[in-house]
Amino acid sequence: MIVFSLKDKNLSQHIIHDLKKKQRNYQFMHVCGTHQDTLMKHGLDTLLKEVGINILQGPGCPVCVTTPKEIEEMIVLARSGLIIATYGDMIQVPGINASLKDMQTEGYSILTVYSIEDAVSFAQKNPKRTVVFMAVGFETTAPSTALTLLNRPVKNFHILCCHRTIPPALRLLLEMGESNIDGLIDPGHVSTIIGMKPYEHLTEQYGIPQVIAGFEPIDILMAVWMLIRQIESNDIKVENEYARAVDPKGNQYAQQVIQDIFNKKDVAWRGFPLIKGSGLEIKEEFEHYDARKTFEDILEPLAEKEFKEPDGCRCGEVLRGLIQPENCPLFEKTCTPDHPIGPCMVSVEGSCHISYKYSKRR
Amino acid sequence: MCLAVPGKIISIDKENNQATIDYGNKTIRKANISLVTVSVGDYVLVHAGFAIQKVDPKEAEETLALFREILSNEEV
Ligand code: SF4
């Protein structure tokens, strides 16, 4: 069986031909590792650069934007003997002295899971152990965390909530204005949940063109073409290129469960100052599951501590779209996927990792 | 981790809100379908074990058709 995908060679050629007719000078930003992968894998980044269109990856990698403090919280909890469960990439992110993976080698209980349900079922099968699931991710993973809590799982299961939401980060980027963005390619998967509305006030306030895009090469080409068309016909709005998966209203049930379980809070992102309302915090009603409440005493020593980026790592600037991975002096030298210095090299969605992967192919 | 993959639902276990999903290339996996309203034969995007939204192949064709039309009428 072939799972359908969006392909039309003639159409792609037509768009490319159209773009090549004129030299331009635009800079667009997307916030999704999968967009970056499509861009690099198919050489679209180079092709677009040739016609004067530069595309940056912003803070669109949940593992990358997790702060050094959050990594340390996991490490401290693991050291205290709790079982830490999280998604694969997360365990390799270097902390101050070690990563969760190093701790696994030392014999601490670190569990890599594919889904939050795996972590819950592990807790069910091991009622005498305490499991803490590190919940990372944007609006795409937040509903699965929310749904799990709504079903009130076993009491030896807890969550260290590190969920973040995209629109407040886009707002801050536009407000800071340091990366000169002429248009946004909005993340398709996040948009399947949130729909189109959360982007609209950004366009109203900052006059920024936006297109929600899918993940095939043709989706990216279309999104770029649509952004240019908006700019050049002076008809600035939010458009939805990914209509096959994005309902303009989003997934309303998923939005509802997020609201039922979480309150918004101000959180820091790696490379960014505190971003207003960009974090999700478990509501009081479910606070037993909140690892930050239940294990407050274990985490307390971290409260006053200052955290900094790994020495020489420029992930912060990469995430703000100020530099490309190649501009980091450590890129490909001391920092590689086998020996990552920062999270942008760890995660398969990180700019540095993706650049490394495809630079080898060129 | 934020990687969502499309697949086709081949069976549904209503009681547990689970569906068996065919991702092509002989990859078949279960996913939780509590967040979506779906039937056998539907395409869904699956992310970290949960189907997060339906994907509509008809809509995909329409997007392409719309684009062919726009492109033949105007250029940027
Ligand atoms: S190449 Fe490595 S050290 Fe440099 S910014 Fe990327 S992750 Fe950090």
Side-chain angles (χ1 to χ4, degrees):
Chain A
M1 190 205 74
I2 300 163
V3 174
F4 90 96
S5 68
L6 202 61
K7 285 201 176 66
D8 184 330
K9 212 158 169 216
N10 285 337
L11 190 54
S12 301
Q13 290 304 337
H14 193 146
I15 300 175
I16 292 168
H17 177 79
D18 220 23
L19 291 173
K20 278 188 176 162
K21 274 193 226 154
K22 201 160 128 197
Q23 192 66 24
R24 293 183 162 85
N25 185 17
Y26 296 129
Q27 182 146 269
F28 299 141
M29 182 182 267
H30 69 78
V31 282
C32 177
T34 316
H35 279 153
Q36 185 67 8
D37 198 85
T38 306
L39 271 163
M40 303 281 292
K41 185 172 176 182
H42 301 276
L44 296 177
D45 58 323
T46 320
L47 187 138
L48 291 168
K49 258 193 205 124
E50 279 165 18
V51 293
I53 300 157
N54 193 27
I55 305 201
L56 304 167
Q57 173 170 10
C61 158
V63 172
C64 306
V65 298
T66 303
T67 57
K69 183 177 179 181
E70 287 165 329
I71 308 292
E72 229 38 48
E73 286 179 314
M74 293 317 295
I75 289 178
V76 168
L77 291 174
R79 282 238 156 79
S80 77
L82 306 178
I83 298 178
I84 305 301
T86 192
Y87 302 117
D89 281 355
M90 212 56 233
I91 75 162
Q92 293 184 54
V93 178
I96 299 176
N97 299 312
S99 66
L100 286 172
K101 197 171 178 185
D102 299 331
M103 298 194 54
Q104 199 175 37
T105 321
E106 285 171 40
Y108 289 98
S109 310
I110 317 289
L111 210 67
T112 310
V113 294
Y114 164 67
S115 151
I116 187 171
E117 292 189 320
D118 301 341
V120 173
S121 78
F122 186 88
Q124 265 164 355
K125 285 183 203 133
N126 298 276
K128 293 210 176 90
R129 303 291 306 267
T130 303
V131 177
V132 179
F133 176 72
M134 186 184 199
V136 277
F138 301 126
E139 289 92 331
T140 30
T141 30
S144 58
T145 304
L147 200 71
T148 304
L149 292 188
L150 206 59
N151 293 332
R152 300 210 175 253
V154 282
K155 293 280 193 241
N156 58 329
F157 176 81
H158 306 272
I159 284 181
L160 188 84
C161 187
C162 305
H163 285 304
R164 290 176 166 78
T165 54
I166 287 284
L170 294 177
R171 168 173 296 273
L172 184 78
L173 273 164
L174 296 171
E175 201 177 281
M176 295 198 300
E178 56 181 6
S179 37
N180 296 318
I181 313 162
D182 300 309
L184 288 170
I185 300 175
D186 293 327
H189 295 145
V190 163
S191 306
T192 63
I193 304 294
I194 67 175
M196 295 176 75
K197 198 154 172 253
Y199 302 110
E200 275 159 10
H201 58 95
L202 295 175
T203 290
E204 276 158 33
Q205 196 174 343
Y206 298 95
I208 185 98
Q210 300 182 71
V211 176
I212 297 171
F215 301 93
E216 302 284 342
I218 196 170
D219 289 317
I220 308 270
L221 285 172
M222 290 211 257
V224 167
W225 193 90
M226 288 162 94
L227 284 173
I228 295 176
R229 191 171 61 141
Q230 284 194 32
I231 297 170
E232 294 179 356
S233 62
N234 201 12
D235 180 18
I236 308 301
K237 55 192 165 192
V238 181
E239 287 182 283
N240 182 12
E241 183 277 332
Y242 198 30
R244 62 190 185 278
V246 175
D247 181 309
K249 289 204 180 92
N251 180 334
Q252 288 175 298
Y253 178 60
Q255 292 166 21
Q256 188 57 51
V257 290
I258 292 178
Q259 265 183 34
D260 290 345
I261 296 295
F262 302 113
N263 288 321
K264 287 185 187 161
K265 77 168 186 192
D266 305 342
V267 293
W269 296 38
R270 192 183 291 257
F272 289 83
L274 214 61
I275 305 183
K276 253 191 136 164
S278 69
L280 297 175
E281 159 182 72
I282 298 170
K283 283 188 176 170
E284 227 176 86
E285 207 190 323
F286 295 88
E287 72 178 4
H288 165 79
Y289 294 107
D290 187 346
R292 291 201 179 91
K293 299 262 170 65
T294 307
F295 308 111
E296 208 177 348
D297 47 330
I298 304 176
L299 295 171
E300 224 241 82
L302 297 179
E304 299 299 315
K305 243 180 151 166
E306 289 261 347
F307 293 91
K308 57 181 192 61
E309 300 294 322
D311 280 343
C313 174
R314 297 181 66 182
C315 275
E317 289 154 276
V318 171
L319 291 164
R320 297 213 304 280
L322 299 179
I323 64 164
Q324 302 283 350
E326 294 77 11
N327 303 123
C328 170
L330 308 185
F331 178 74
E332 281 185 348
K333 302 208 170 66
T334 45
C335 184
T336 63
D338 288 333
H339 186 271
I341 310 263
C344 302
M345 186 59 89
V346 171
S347 171
V348 293
E349 292 171 82
S351 300
C352 301
H353 183 103
I354 297 170
S355 286
Y356 184 92
K357 181 161 111 190
Y358 294 115
S359 74
K360 296 283 150 210
R361 271 175 35 171
R362 281 179 190 169
Chain B
M1 207 211 75
C2 218
L3 313 169
V5 231
K8 189 177 188 175
I9 298 185
I10 49 178
S11 69
I12 290 179
D13 165 9
K14 272 222 172 73
E15 210 168 301
N16 297 307
N17 271 321
Q18 296 277 327
T20 306
I21 296 177
D22 185 348
Y23 296 98
N25 295 329
K26 300 206 171 87
T27 311
I28 290 177
R29 260 186 122 138
K30 285 206 169 18
N32 185 306
I33 48 165
S34 312
L35 294 169
V36 288
T37 315
V38 286
S39 342
V40 171
D42 284 346
Y43 288 92
V44 282
L45 272 176
V46 179
H47 176 71
F50 284 71
I52 56 170
Q53 190 58 284
K54 259 208 272 201
V55 193
D56 184 351
K58 272 203 290 297
E59 193 72 59
E61 221 2 88
E62 272 164 35
T63 302
L64 287 176
L66 190 72
F67 254 78
R68 284 183 208 112
E69 199 186 307
I70 300 175
L71 274 160
S72 59
N73 292 333
E74 59 177 301
E75 290 167 0
V76 292

